[in-house]
Amino acid sequence: MTQTLDHIVRDPAAPTPQQRVDAWLTAFETALAARDADAAAALFATDSFWRDLIAFTWNITTVEGRAAITDLLRADPDATNPSGFHTTEPPTEDDGVVTAWIGFETAAGRGAGHLRLADEGAWTLLTALRELKGFEEGTRTRRPTGVRHGADPSRVTWSEQRALEDRELGYTRQPYTLIVGGGQAGIALGARMRQLGVPALVVDAHDRPGDQWRKRYKSLCLHDPVWYDHMPYLPFPDNWPVFAPKDKIADWLEMYTTVMEVPYWSSTTCTSARYDELAGEWTVAVEREGAAVELRPRHLVLATGMSGKPNIPDFPGMDRFMGDQHHSSAHPGPDGYAGKRAVVIGSNNSAHDICAALWEAGAVSVTMVQRSSTHVVKSESLMDLAFGDLYSERAIDAGITTDKADLAFASMPYRLMPEFQRPLYRAMRERDAEFYRRLEHAGFRIDWGDDDSGLFMKYLRRGSGYYIDVGAAEMVADGDITLAHGEVRELTETAVILDDGTELPADLVVYATGYGSMNGWAADLIGQDVADKVGKCWGYGSGTTKDPGPWEGELRNMWKPTQQEGLWFHGGNLHQSRHYSLYLALQLKARYESIPTPVYGLQEVHHRS
């Protein structure tokens, strides 16, 4: 027999969620003001997590447990000097955990945060610096007037001022920050630098902003939804497609660069860089439209995406293969391959997209070579179950802005994230059981991550190993795309030979074999010694496939100080490029204005590449 209660009787003497949070914030601020690290740490649960985005540490770091929290708070309390902790909206309670959005100030700036409060104390705390005092962005009430009224014979117009900047920056006036890479990451950071008044220059080898997308294979489109992909300051319009085609993204980035007045040199290749420890600056040699230019920035940001150089295999017989062969990053698209036999090595996002496009273009056969298992999720299920609560129209209707969604997502420490991801992917597995049955019946090898935590954990840990199905996996299940398994033994003049002797006739071979670590770009530009000094980028030491331990708790080297003074890495998807560009920009602005930035917990190097 089931009894239904019309309401739950609450003890009238029990504190409300607001009272509980107010009491905790008051006690926390009192302990911090007294420089009593032990008392502040005692306000946290035994198993607790504090993630800080440069507010207390001038770093992106997570500390776990009371001892680690005590260590953080003892590091340099006078430099931070936090105060004014308060809630910014009414707290809520669910299953005994009170959730609160908070605001606070530090000596340097103003911050926002997120608190999860359990009976034992704070379970998770996020603190994020959002702006610097005295150096706020010129937005909203601080926006520039744009014109100086009255007569002025020495008036300089906006276009004249922009032309002057274009002539001077990089020649008679050096950028404080040089951003190498003009895709979404570099452009987003360039826009942040512009708004903060930091002289910065974005350089890219392509002819136009957006060419990083424009020049890829024609069927490429975003697999993440529009609500997840906005750029800083200028969101996509309400009629923007949920999944934007690559040429539409390219045109948007080009427009964005112009509208946001991002100083941007196209057709510019960096050939070398070296750091002068005594002068505290870089010497960077570039070729701009064939002319040599020497730049001397204080800070160098490699914004070449989350991936490094393409992993191009070295199979025996590649030199004698008579057909076309190239890495997926250089794939021109399916045009020209009608009636041809195509073999695609790999089974992740790019491999699926390319196989589907080749089939559509009339390739006589398309074979996907799966070398290891792949995690596959249907786009519709992913959008609903994984993105829906934070990045969707229903989230907007519930009052979840992009900024609030970003902070909510950032509030979950990486240690706990798999626990919260597993139920989502278990639900997808159940919802699409028939799809997975058909895919496995076709011979496709599926996995759900080493610990069944799904796509996003694979992305954070290794940046590969998954496909968001927008149709190609259905083609594999139906047999339109032929499936083969194994490693490549060799290529002949007309075929790919697998390690079990299987022969795959081919006129085209596409190597969808992924990318190396971002620090490969540092090795090429600066030197292997510097690449080894800063270590591997991406991954956080989960101990899972392609993400070896020890546990580090944050993505290696991303958006934060590295072991090489003045060298930074910036990249990721559009969401990460948007959100984390703020914290990287604030770190650079603070240094530009000579604000003290004592770094707590500078990342140790455990893996060189």
Side-chain angles (χ1 to χ4, degrees):
M1 181 177 179
T2 302
Q3 185 177 19
T4 301
L5 299 178
D6 293 331
H7 64 279
I8 297 174
V9 178
R10 182 180 296 277
D11 181 358
T16 65
Q18 183 71 61
Q19 290 170 333
R20 288 182 62 187
V21 173
D22 287 345
W24 191 92
L25 292 176
T26 298
F28 188 55
E29 183 169 344
T30 300
L32 294 178
R35 305 297 189 258
D36 191 340
D38 291 324
L43 296 168
F44 287 77
T46 303
D47 295 322
S48 52
F49 306 84
W50 181 356
R51 188 174 192 220
D52 183 62
L53 305 180
I54 77 171
F56 282 71
T57 61
W58 288 109
N59 197 358
I60 295 177
T61 190
T62 299
V63 291
E64 303 181 7
R66 291 172 178 168
I69 291 169
T70 301
D71 186 70
L72 184 158
L73 291 173
R74 285 177 176 167
D76 199 347
D78 294 331
T80 307
N81 198 29
S83 63
F85 286 87
H86 63 282
T87 58
T88 56
E89 60 182 73
T92 59
E93 184 174 1
D94 186 32
D95 290 336
V97 176
V98 174
T99 298
W101 291 97
I102 64 173
F104 61 93
E105 294 190 10
T106 68
R110 300 176 188 88
H114 186 276
L115 172 68
R116 293 183 181 91
L117 189 59
D119 289 340
E120 191 185 2
W123 179 33
T124 71
L125 175 64
L126 170 73
T127 49
L129 189 66
R130 305 294 285 173
E131 64 181 4
L132 298 170
K133 293 177 181 176
F135 304 103
E136 296 85 357
E137 293 184 353
T139 59
R140 303 190 66 179
T141 59
R142 299 188 182 95
R143 71 177 72 214
T145 59
V147 67
R148 188 170 64 250
H149 294 295
D152 183 357
S154 61
R155 182 185 302 277
V156 177
T157 66
W158 172 85
S159 59
E160 290 170 337
Q161 180 61 38
R162 291 288 291 124
L164 178 63
E165 291 177 4
D166 288 344
R167 289 195 301 270
E168 290 182 345
L169 189 61
Y171 296 99
T172 61
R173 183 168 61 93
Q174 288 299 313
Y176 181 76
T177 300
L178 177 64
I179 303 166
V180 179
Q184 68 257 15
I187 291 171
L189 182 59
R192 300 273 194 195
M193 295 281 89
R194 182 76 177 179
Q195 295 304 306
L196 287 168
V198 179
L201 177 63
V202 180
V203 299
D204 192 271
H206 289 94
D207 298 330
R208 298 160 55 192
D211 275 354
Q212 301 83 355
W213 290 86
R214 192 177 286 111
K215 294 185 177 181
R216 297 293 303 279
Y217 53 92
K218 72 176 186 179
S219 63
L220 178 65
C221 68
L222 288 178
H223 290 179
D224 296 326
V226 61
W227 306 277
Y228 187 71
D229 291 332
H230 295 300
M231 294 286 284
Y233 311 111
L234 194 61
F236 296 118
D238 289 345
N239 63 344
W240 196 262
V242 175
F243 304 107
K246 57 103 176 178
D247 292 294
K248 198 169 180 67
I249 287 291
D251 290 346
W252 181 268
L253 292 176
E254 186 170 30
M255 178 277 296
Y256 183 94
T257 302
T258 300
V259 170
M260 297 305 298
E261 301 178 20
V262 177
Y264 191 106
W265 285 4
S266 56
S267 302
T268 301
T269 303
C270 291
T271 57
S272 68
R274 59 180 176 82
Y275 187 70
D276 187 328
E277 300 282 350
L278 293 177
E281 68 178 23
W282 293 89
T283 299
V284 183
V286 306
E287 290 186 4
R288 184 187 188 193
E289 298 177 343
V293 182
E294 183 178 277
L295 300 171
R296 297 187 307 280
R298 305 284 288 188
H299 294 271
L300 179 63
V301 180
L302 299 187
T304 51
M306 61 152 288
S307 302
K309 297 188 299 180
N311 284 330
I312 301 176
D314 183 20
F315 297 134
M318 288 174 65
D319 58 339
R320 69 174 184 264
F321 180 66
M322 297 174 62
D324 290 347
Q325 57 180 323
H326 46 251
H327 190 266
S328 58
S329 61
H331 182 57
D335 296 344
Y337 295 111
K340 304 293 185 180
R341 302 164 298 178
V343 174
V344 178
I345 311 299
S347 57
N348 297 333
N349 267 332
S350 293
H352 277 83
D353 285 348
I354 291 169
C355 283
L358 287 166
W359 181 90
E360 288 179 346
V364 69
S365 66
V366 180
T367 302
M368 177 189 296
V369 179
Q370 187 178 33
R371 300 183 298 165
S372 58
S373 62
T374 307
H375 174 48
V376 177
V377 291
K378 293 190 75 65
S379 177
E380 298 84 354
S381 298
L382 186 70
M383 296 309 110
D384 182 23
L385 297 172
F387 284 96
D389 289 342
L390 293 179
Y391 301 99
S392 69
E393 209 63 38
R394 83 164 185 256
I396 292 174
D397 291 342
I400 307 296
T401 64
T402 300
D403 191 52
K404 189 173 184 179
D406 288 348
L407 286 172
F409 198 72
S411 74
M412 183 57 62
Y414 289 145
R415 181 80 77 177
L416 296 178
M417 198 173 286
E419 177 183 338
F420 284 81
Q421 293 288 301
R422 275 190 285 269
L424 303 178
Y425 291 92
R426 189 160 53 244
M428 294 180 211
R429 195 171 191 166
E430 294 170 358
R431 174 186 287 194
D432 300 317
E434 176 59 19
F435 163 72
Y436 291 113
R437 185 198 65 76
R438 291 173 49 241
L439 198 55
E440 289 179 323
H441 181 74
F444 195 88
R445 297 169 183 169
I446 301 171
D447 73 64
W448 294 83
D450 287 15
D451 54 0
D452 290 334
S453 59
L455 186 149
F456 197 73
M457 301 316 300
K458 266 199 165 188
Y459 171 73
L460 293 172
R461 292 164 173 173
R462 53 186 282 191
S464 65
Y466 51 83
Y467 170 59
I468 301 173
D469 182 38
V470 292
E474 287 283 359
M475 297 172 68
V476 172
D478 291 341
D480 294 325
I481 296 172
T482 304
L483 194 63
H485 296 96
E487 295 292 339
V488 175
R489 188 177 75 195
E490 63 177 320
L491 273 69
T492 67
E493 289 83 354
T494 58
V496 175
I497 310 298
L498 301 183
D499 51 6
D500 64 356
T502 299
E503 181 174 339
L504 305 174
D507 304 299
L508 165 69
V509 179
V510 180
Y511 302 110
T513 46
Y515 301 82
S517 172
M518 284 178 67
N519 75 350
W521 298 117
D524 285 352
L525 181 62
I526 310 167
Q528 189 62 51
D529 56 334
V530 172
D532 290 343
K533 182 179 181 180
V534 300
K536 184 178 180 178
C537 299
W538 213 259
Y540 57 86
S542 64
T544 58
T545 302
K546 297 188 179 181
D547 183 29
W551 178 260
E552 299 179 56
E554 290 287 346
L555 292 181
R556 302 180 186 98
N557 283 318
M558 298 305 299
W559 318 295
K560 60 185 178 181
T562 69
Q563 291 286 349
Q564 172 58 58
E565 183 70 24
L567 179 62
W568 309 77
F569 293 88
H570 176 41
N573 57 30
L574 281 154
H575 152 77
Q576 291 167 311
S577 296
R578 172 188 68 247
H579 185 219
Y580 288 99
S581 62
L582 171 62
Y583 308 112
L584 177 49
L586 290 175
Q587 291 173 83
L588 293 166
K589 174 66 172 178
R591 286 161 173 79
Y592 178 69
E593 300 294 350
S594 300
I595 297 172
T597 55
V599 176
Y600 173 83
L602 183 65
Q603 176 189 297
E604 298 179 12
V605 175
H606 301 290
H607 308 285
R608 292 187 175 182
S609 62

